[in-house]
Amino acid sequence: LICLIFFGACISNDPEFAPSQFDRDFFNLTTNEQIKQFSKYGIETQYELLVVGNQVVHPPALYLIEEFARKGETVIPFLHTKLNQAKRDVAVRDIVAILSEMQRLRTYDVQGDASLMALAENRIAAMQGQWKLVTQHMIEEIRRPMPKDVKSGKVESKARG
């Protein structure tokens, strides 16, 4: 909370990121208010907030990745373009994190999208910085077969006696 109050002191030193007043106002909201507001914005605004929230705000707003991932197939063309255009390792990391969350939530079969997986793997192979191993791990998670009960969406429960 202190970080959000003093947002200006908690931003990245990377000059590529200069959060707007809109971003500052958004991250001054409570987490529940952020999630509620997030769903009201268009895809570009949501993506901007996700990037600022995960690359600039500390601690990172990881919950926005899940919210964005819930959009599933509708955002795949957008993410494909962003992944293709990404110039920074952290951008690739964040996009792959969204894809990993989509696979986990089963909102899109990322694993079954050969073109998207090839692009992600090529972008990860080109990474040089500290995020490469983390991002490789996310791709491995996408590739890992899901347990049958998770694939079906059914969770087996044991009756207690």
Side-chain angles (χ1 to χ4, degrees), residues 4-132:
L4 292 178
I5 293 169
F6 299 106
F7 188 83
C10 297
I11 61 173
S12 169
N13 291 329
D14 188 336
E16 183 178 345
F17 290 100
S20 67
Q21 187 60 49
F22 172 80
D23 298 330
R24 293 174 200 268
D25 292 343
F26 179 84
F27 287 106
N28 279 326
L29 298 171
T30 66
T31 301
N32 286 339
E33 290 170 334
Q34 288 175 35
I35 291 169
K36 202 180 292 183
Q37 289 299 315
F38 188 80
S39 66
K40 295 177 182 177
Y41 301 126
I43 189 173
E44 288 280 350
T45 301
Q46 287 183 350
Y47 184 77
E48 174 192 334
L49 289 168
L50 185 149
V51 168
V52 170
N54 286 284
Q55 296 179 18
V56 181
V57 175
H58 296 285
L62 298 174
Y63 48 89
L64 295 180
I65 290 173
E66 180 176 346
E67 293 304 311
F68 197 87
R70 290 183 189 283
K71 294 187 163 299
E73 187 173 0
T74 62
V75 296
I76 292 299
F78 176 85
L79 290 175
H80 196 282
T81 299
K82 289 292 185 185
L83 187 56
N84 219 6
Q85 296 171 347
K87 292 180 174 44
R88 304 175 69 229
D89 286 357
V90 291
V92 174
R93 177 204 65 192
D94 288 348
I95 294 165
V96 173
I98 296 166
L99 297 176
S100 179
E101 190 65 9
M102 285 179 165
Q103 187 71 28
R104 187 187 73 78
L105 293 172
R106 296 181 310 277
T107 57
Y108 183 70
D109 181 15
V110 178
Q111 184 182 54
D113 188 330
S115 166
L116 184 58
M117 287 297 289
L119 175 60
E121 288 171 344
N122 287 338
R123 295 308 313 264
I124 293 167
M127 291 173 77
Q128 300 292 318
Q130 65 182 354
W131 298 112
K132 185 171 185 167

Side-chain angles (χ1 to χ4, degrees), residues 128-142:
Q128 300 292 318
Q130 65 182 354
W131 298 112
K132 185 171 185 167
L133 288 176
V134 170
T135 311
Q136 284 174 327
H137 178 73
M138 285 187 261
I139 281 290
E140 290 167 12
E141 287 291 318
I142 293 170

